[in-house]
Amino acid sequence: MQAVADDVFYSIYQYLGFGLIFAVICMIALPEVEHKGLKKCLIHQWHKLRTDKITRYKFAFFTILFMVLSRTLICRSIWQCPWENIIGEWGVFASDGTLNTEGMLNVLLFVPLAYFGVLGFFQQDGLDKEILFNIVKTSFGFSCLIEICQLFLRVGTFQLSDIFQNTLGGFIGIAVWAMQQKIMKRGRKNMNTTLLIMAAGIGSRFGTGIKQLEPVDASNHIIMDYSIHDAIEAGFNHVVFIIRKDIEKEFKEVIGDRIASICSSHNVTVDYAFQDINDIPGTLPEGRTKPWGTGQAVLAAKKVIKTPFIVINADDYYGKEGFRKIHEYMVNEMTEDGDVYDICMGGFILKNTLSDNGAVTRGVCEEENGILKKVTETYDIRMIEDGLHAADEAGNPVKVQPEQLVSMNMWGLPVSFLNELEKGFPEFLDSLKPGDIKAEYLLPKIIDKLVHEGKAKVRVLDTPDKWFGVTYKEDKQAVVDAIKGLIDAGVYKEKLFD
């Protein structure tokens, strides 16, 4: 009878760990399942596994973590004396002369654990001493926790050699990751990518002067300086300015020649393209004075763009993260061949892109599982007492939410997309109604049309950085204060490019 009782007790005790871990996982997942339903949750997770490499890294990490827990705690037999061999086996060969496979397995299990841990949760580009220390420290702490659990739960044996071998495995895992990063960085340096800056805006809402050329810090840097700095830091090695001929002289005096010198020292090339209202197939409609929009602006640079490129506005500050994520997507995931254009975009929270001094226009996005489903150019967006006011192209009121993602014209595009712009521009002109002198060929509309036709897939890359820009002259002081805050926080140096 005693033997039967012991068997029952040990059976329950042995699998208690597995039961507790499974219960914790279920309790964490339960609210999401109750909210969306099991089927939708499974479909969502499967989609993320297929489309998001970070999710795949995390999945691999948790798989290996569970393997480690299963081997060390969950599926171990009860030991009456778990401290009988505290020192353990430290060498390649055990004390009896056989190969120390137990020690080797202790090392090998922690190698992929550390490797996928840093890929899934740190997402750092290049070796950092703090990351190295944190991973090794975590490997050591996690191994100690396992050994202590083994000691007190009497599951397996407590051995100091296990702690050393696990920590060594963590160190090897981070070393493998660092070597991979170094190799990938060399490859990225050999891949050309272009920063395309749309600076041809007439600045009609800024009063006198050219709004893109207004200094925003004590060193007389302008917003474009910060965008160029962040782009070069992310890995872009070609800068193209889209401007108008009539501002070329002032533009080059204020930023062009200076940036060309800075870019040269970083092995970054600089080119110019000119947006011209008359640069259309056919005759300019009578009374047309308004530029043709962002689509024509990008098309104007077709002759100087030979690589994947990012498009930004000259008078918008986007933050570092957007440039880094889009560049990473370009060099690691974007494909040029195929029937579907592979596009990405920086996604910003609408409430973080408003001006306190007037209305703004935004491309309001609808996305599912990180893939853009629809982008709607929305006008006259401003905060009023009752919430947000917005209108469609015809001036009709539309509803928008503060937390919605919007496009700030930060698009990552394959070079083949330029052919689509070239083909679509005459079609746009032919579709204009008589007397329509304000319609624009806009990137958000073009991309939205391609998405609906199944000709483009757009990955939405969320960025936590706050946008700010000079839409109105009154916005300038807020931008100056924001830049000063970033400098004081150490995000940028006062001498930006030093």
Side-chain angles (χ1 to χ4, degrees):
M1 193 67 185
Q2 181 64 40
V4 173
D6 288 344
D7 285 343
V8 171
F9 172 77
Y10 287 140
S11 296
I12 295 172
Y13 185 78
Q14 188 168 345
Y15 295 105
L16 180 61
F18 175 82
L20 290 173
I21 292 173
F22 186 75
V24 169
I25 293 172
C26 288
M27 292 305 295
I28 292 171
L30 191 59
E32 186 75 6
V33 172
E34 288 177 339
H35 177 66
K36 293 183 177 180
L38 180 60
K39 184 178 178 181
K40 283 188 177 181
C41 285
L42 290 174
I43 292 172
H44 174 70
Q45 291 302 322
W46 172 244
H47 180 82
K48 286 188 72 175
L49 277 172
R50 289 173 52 222
T51 59
D52 183 27
K53 66 177 182 180
I54 301 301
T55 300
R56 291 195 292 270
Y57 294 148
K58 289 179 179 179
F59 184 82
F61 171 82
F62 286 117
T63 300
I64 297 163
L65 177 63
F66 197 78
M67 288 171 61
V68 171
L69 292 175
S70 297
R71 180 182 176 275
T72 56
L73 293 173
I74 298 171
C75 298
R76 294 295 293 270
S77 300
I78 303 299
W79 287 68
Q80 295 297 332
C81 189
W83 53 85
E84 64 183 3
N85 186 15
I86 290 179
I87 301 300
E89 301 286 354
W90 293 71
V92 176
F93 293 95
S95 55
D96 61 1
T98 60
L99 196 64
N100 186 10
T101 54
E102 183 79 10
M104 291 180 179
L105 197 55
N106 284 335
V107 174
L108 290 175
L109 275 175
F110 269 66
V111 171
L113 191 68
Y115 174 78
F116 286 112
V118 71
L119 282 174
F121 297 97
F122 287 92
Q123 300 161 35
Q124 182 81 15
D125 186 14
L127 182 60
D128 184 279
K129 289 182 179 178
E130 186 177 350
I131 290 179
L132 175 61
F133 176 73
N134 284 337
I135 293 294
V136 173
K137 181 177 67 175
T138 302
S139 299
F140 175 79
F142 183 52
S143 180
C144 287
L145 180 62
I146 290 173
E147 295 301 311
I148 291 170
C149 288
Q150 288 180 334
L151 179 63
F152 283 98
L153 297 177
R154 296 193 175 190
V155 179
T157 59
F158 178 91
Q159 293 183 334
L160 295 175
S161 60
D162 288 355
I163 297 175
F164 169 77
Q165 289 154 358
N166 293 157
T167 306
L168 178 61
F171 179 81
I172 294 173
I174 193 74
V176 170
W177 168 80
M179 288 170 59
Q180 181 194 41
Q181 290 294 308
K182 192 171 183 179
I183 293 168
M184 289 176 62
K185 199 167 185 179
R186 284 179 183 172
R188 286 198 294 268
K189 284 181 178 179
N190 295 328
M191 180 177 178
N192 294 323
T193 49
T194 297
L195 167 67
L196 184 63
I197 304 176
M198 297 187 292
I202 58 176
S204 59
R205 290 168 295 179
F206 199 137
T208 58
I210 301 173
K211 64 178 181 177
Q212 290 92 342
L213 308 184
E214 287 285 321
V216 294
D217 65 17
S219 300
N220 288 325
H221 292 118
I222 64 177
I223 288 180
M224 262 184 284
D225 281 300
Y226 286 89
S227 294
I228 293 167
H229 170 275
D230 293 345
I232 292 175
E233 187 176 77
F236 291 89
N237 52 14
H238 182 209
V239 176
V240 175
F241 295 109
I242 304 174
I243 61 173
R244 302 190 318 272
K245 268 291 184 182
D246 60 289
I247 67 170
E248 181 181 9
K249 182 175 182 294
E250 183 179 359
F251 188 91
K252 287 186 175 180
E253 287 175 354
V254 174
I255 185 171
D257 294 340
R258 175 171 56 82
I259 286 297
S261 175
I262 292 168
C263 286
S264 178
S265 66
H266 289 82
N267 295 317
V268 175
T269 56
V270 176
D271 281 304
Y272 285 86
F274 300 95
Q275 185 178 17
D276 187 344
I277 192 174
N278 295 294
D279 187 14
I280 61 172
T283 306
L284 185 71
E286 185 178 350
R288 178 82 191 199
T289 58
K290 189 179 181 67
W292 290 105
T294 52
Q296 192 223 10
V298 174
L299 182 57
K302 186 175 187 292
K303 292 181 180 179
V304 294
I305 296 179
K306 309 298 180 186
T307 70
F309 61 100
I310 183 174
V311 178
I312 65 167
N313 295 328
D315 51 354
D316 289 338
Y317 171 85
Y318 295 94
K320 295 187 175 189
E321 190 70 3
F323 288 102
R324 186 189 69 80
K325 282 189 172 183
I326 289 179
H327 188 266
E328 284 289 317
Y329 185 85
M330 283 180 174
V331 299
N332 294 323
E333 298 186 47
M334 181 177 284
T335 56
E336 279 284 355
D337 51 352
D339 299 328
V340 177
Y341 293 109
D342 191 353
I343 298 170
C344 63
M345 61 162 280
F348 291 79
I349 304 299
L350 174 57
K351 68 180 182 181
N352 292 337
T353 69
L354 301 177
S355 169
D356 293 331
N357 300 298
V360 296
T361 298
R362 300 287 180 254
V364 179
C365 303
E366 295 178 23
E367 58 93 19
E368 184 178 331
N369 298 322
I371 302 297
L372 184 69
K373 295 299 180 184
K374 185 179 181 181
V375 56
T376 305
E377 196 74 1
T378 307
Y379 305 83
D380 197 27
I381 304 175
R382 49 195 164 87
M383 188 66 73
I384 57 177
E385 289 183 4
D386 297 334
L388 283 176
H389 171 276
D392 62 16
E393 190 174 11
N396 301 312
V398 295
K399 288 185 177 181
V400 292
Q401 300 299 324
E403 301 295 332
Q404 280 185 275
L405 286 179
V406 296
S407 159
M408 298 302 299
N409 270 335
M410 191 182 205
W411 301 97
L413 300 164
V415 68
S416 57
F417 182 78
L418 294 168
N419 297 326
E420 184 68 34
L421 289 179
E422 190 171 44
K423 183 182 76 173
F425 190 42
E427 296 173 0
F428 162 78
L429 294 173
D430 291 341
S431 69
L432 295 179
K433 297 177 181 178
D436 187 351
I437 58 173
K438 291 187 177 181
E440 294 182 82
Y441 190 48
L442 299 171
L443 277 179
K445 286 187 175 181
I446 297 164
I447 293 172
D448 182 57
K449 181 173 180 287
L450 292 172
V451 168
H452 277 82
E453 293 173 350
K455 295 180 180 178
K457 181 203 75 174
V458 183
R459 179 70 59 82
V460 180
L461 304 173
D462 297 352
T463 169
D465 292 327
K466 182 176 172 58
W467 167 94
F468 50 81
V470 185
T471 305
Y472 297 90
K473 193 166 186 177
E474 294 79 7
D475 291 333
K476 182 185 173 182
Q477 189 56 49
V479 173
V480 171
D481 294 341
I483 291 289
K484 185 178 184 302
L486 292 170
I487 293 172
D488 291 343
V491 177
Y492 298 104
K493 298 178 182 177
E494 286 192 25
K495 293 184 178 180
L496 188 59
F497 290 95
D498 283 359

